[in-house]
Amino acid sequence: MNLYKLIRPVIFSMDPETDHHLVSFLLKLFNKNPQVIRNIVASEKNNTEVAGIKFDSPIGIAAGFDKNGQFYNSLGALGAGFVEIGSVTRRKQAGNPKKRIFRLAQDEAIINRMGLNNDGLKTVVKRLKKVAPTTKIGLSIATNHDTPEEEMVSQIIEDIKYSQNYCDYVAINMSCPNQEGIMNLQSKENISKLTWALEKYDFSVPIFCKLGHDLSEQELVYICSQLTNKITGVILTNTSNSRENLTSKNKFEHGGLSGRPLFSKSLKLTKLIHQKFPDKKIIFSGGVFSESEAELALKNGADLVQLYTGIIYEGPFLIRKINKYLYESKEK
């Protein structure tokens, strides 16, 4: 019996942002002592090494769940091999006005227009210093909403330099549809500026670029063709502006779509980039709800897989279920 499915109607009766704050509060209680959760969950380990980093599992948590670095160890204790914090901007920002999260239950999806609300890079780094991570940490960085486009690349470089010693990898968010200007980082001119700027430095952590779901195959291949060796790989994909084939009443809300509707295209793009650029590492993000979908992503070129909306619909033990499935498949 799936207990979470029984209580989900009660959870879904709450405003989605209120629900998230409640879950966050509970997880914060165990961030300094995650062993309490680990003893209850007892998730299998599926050790894997990617870009020189040893992960307990290839299954992790996407950016947006722990925006401010407050309960990463608790998520690790649920079985996550890594937690991507953020996206974090240099200065604190409030994000967009509420209401800004919408469930699409019939489509098993979410639309959010949070607007990259976060406590700011310095505050998040302080938290990482104060409570040592017991899981691998990715740090997703983004530019502030009022950063002029001509200053975006230099701000990103400085923020990587500031934070690189407090995480295991950095993700550059260059495709968030919920903050004006960020998607411009995927333009030919800005990709060139970014890669040129990164070439000037030797960073201590791998760097990934998070790219958009709504890119065409040609656009994505072009971007990846411009990524030099200073960029370890890509995260495929961010949320989407597409509303194709949705049936839920909230389908026309403005914001980034996440969840099950993204899986097919994210998988297609992952397979394409793996074939075209086999040396680039790929973190899959987009609509994984089951053990078989996680396995499919890994078999089609992903090195790591991120969850978020799948946990909202399937519950917190989804990570353990996937880890168990992967472990048993490996043992066969």
Side-chain angles (χ1 to χ4, degrees):
M1 179 184 294
N2 189 328
L3 178 61
Y4 182 78
K5 289 289 180 70
L6 291 176
I7 65 172
R8 193 175 70 182
V10 177
I11 296 171
F12 277 23
S13 69
M14 288 188 277
D15 174 78
E17 193 162 352
T18 301
D19 169 26
H20 186 78
H21 285 316
L22 177 60
V23 171
S24 300
F25 171 77
L26 294 173
L27 290 170
K28 286 177 199 176
L29 297 177
F30 300 99
N31 200 50
K32 291 182 180 179
N33 188 20
Q35 192 61 40
V36 175
I37 297 176
R38 191 170 285 112
N39 289 342
I40 297 171
V41 175
S43 181
E44 300 284 0
K45 289 189 176 183
N46 293 285
N47 298 326
T48 187
E49 185 170 332
V50 178
I53 307 169
K54 294 180 180 179
F55 296 88
D56 287 343
S57 168
I59 309 303
I61 305 295
F65 203 100
D66 185 7
K67 280 180 169 290
N68 293 305
Q70 294 176 302
F71 46 89
Y72 43 87
N73 287 335
S74 296
L75 293 171
L78 287 170
F82 63 102
V83 177
E84 192 171 301
I85 293 169
S87 289
V88 180
T89 54
R90 177 173 296 183
R91 287 174 282 103
K92 179 178 180 178
Q93 57 184 36
N96 293 323
K98 299 177 181 180
K99 181 177 181 176
R100 50 194 184 179
I101 308 179
F102 304 87
R103 298 188 190 95
L104 285 72
Q106 293 95 323
D107 301 296
E108 294 186 293
I110 296 286
I111 290 175
N112 92 83
R113 50 172 180 259
M114 298 297 288
L116 299 183
N117 57 308
N118 71 97
D119 292 340
L121 184 59
K122 287 186 177 180
T123 297
V124 171
V125 166
K126 283 180 183 178
R127 289 177 181 143
L128 288 167
K129 288 181 183 179
K130 186 175 181 181
V131 181
T134 56
T135 188
K136 300 303 179 185
I137 298 296
L139 186 62
S140 176
I141 61 171
T143 54
N144 281 101
H145 68 90
D146 56 354
T147 304
E149 185 173 339
E150 61 272 16
E151 296 178 14
M152 284 183 170
V153 168
S154 61
Q155 186 178 107
I156 287 168
I157 297 298
E158 291 303 312
D159 289 350
I160 295 174
K161 288 163 67 176
Y162 178 81
S163 60
Q164 63 181 333
N165 294 326
Y166 308 103
C167 58
D168 295 286
Y169 72 84
V170 168
I172 302 172
N173 186 347
M174 47 203 301
S175 53
C176 175
N178 299 319
Q179 180 174 293
E180 186 176 353
I182 282 187
M183 295 180 75
N184 293 340
L185 285 167
Q186 296 179 131
S187 70
K188 291 183 178 181
E189 180 183 357
N190 284 321
I191 285 290
S192 177
K193 286 174 63 177
L194 178 63
T195 53
W196 181 84
L198 288 168
E199 281 296 304
K200 296 166 63 177
Y201 301 97
D202 289 319
F203 297 106
S204 61
V205 293
I207 297 169
F208 289 81
C209 291
K210 188 165 188 176
L211 302 176
H213 187 84
D214 299 331
L215 292 170
S216 69
E217 292 184 14
Q218 293 78 10
E219 289 170 329
L220 181 61
V221 167
Y222 173 79
I223 290 172
C224 290
S225 73
Q226 301 303 300
L227 303 181
T228 66
N229 291 335
K230 287 295 178 75
I231 298 175
T232 301
V234 292
I235 302 174
L236 301 174
T237 60
N238 214 321
T239 56
S240 173
N241 283 318
S242 172
R243 299 295 185 265
E244 187 177 357
N245 298 323
L246 299 179
T247 61
S248 300
K249 66 177 182 179
N250 288 326
K251 65 182 180 179
F252 295 117
E253 291 290 346
H254 174 69
L257 176 75
S258 64
R260 194 178 287 282
L262 273 63
F263 181 78
S264 180
K265 185 177 179 182
S266 290
L267 186 68
K268 184 179 181 181
L269 295 180
T270 293
K271 187 174 183 179
L272 172 69
I273 297 308
H274 177 62
Q275 290 173 341
K276 295 278 188 181
F277 307 97
D279 293 335
K280 288 296 181 192
K281 303 301 181 184
I282 300 174
I283 302 177
F284 184 95
S285 181
V288 170
F289 277 57
S290 69
E291 302 95 310
S292 59
E293 288 167 339
E295 183 181 48
L296 199 56
L298 292 167
K299 285 185 174 179
N300 280 274
D303 298 280
L304 301 168
V305 173
Q306 294 180 337
L307 308 179
Y308 189 161
T309 307
I311 295 175
I312 294 172
Y313 281 92
E314 298 297 321
F317 293 119
L318 176 61
I319 310 169
R320 182 178 70 174
K321 287 170 60 180
I322 295 174
N323 279 334
K324 182 180 179 183
Y325 178 85
L326 294 177
Y327 181 83
E328 291 177 349
S329 298
K330 184 173 59 178
E331 290 297 299
K332 289 179 182 178

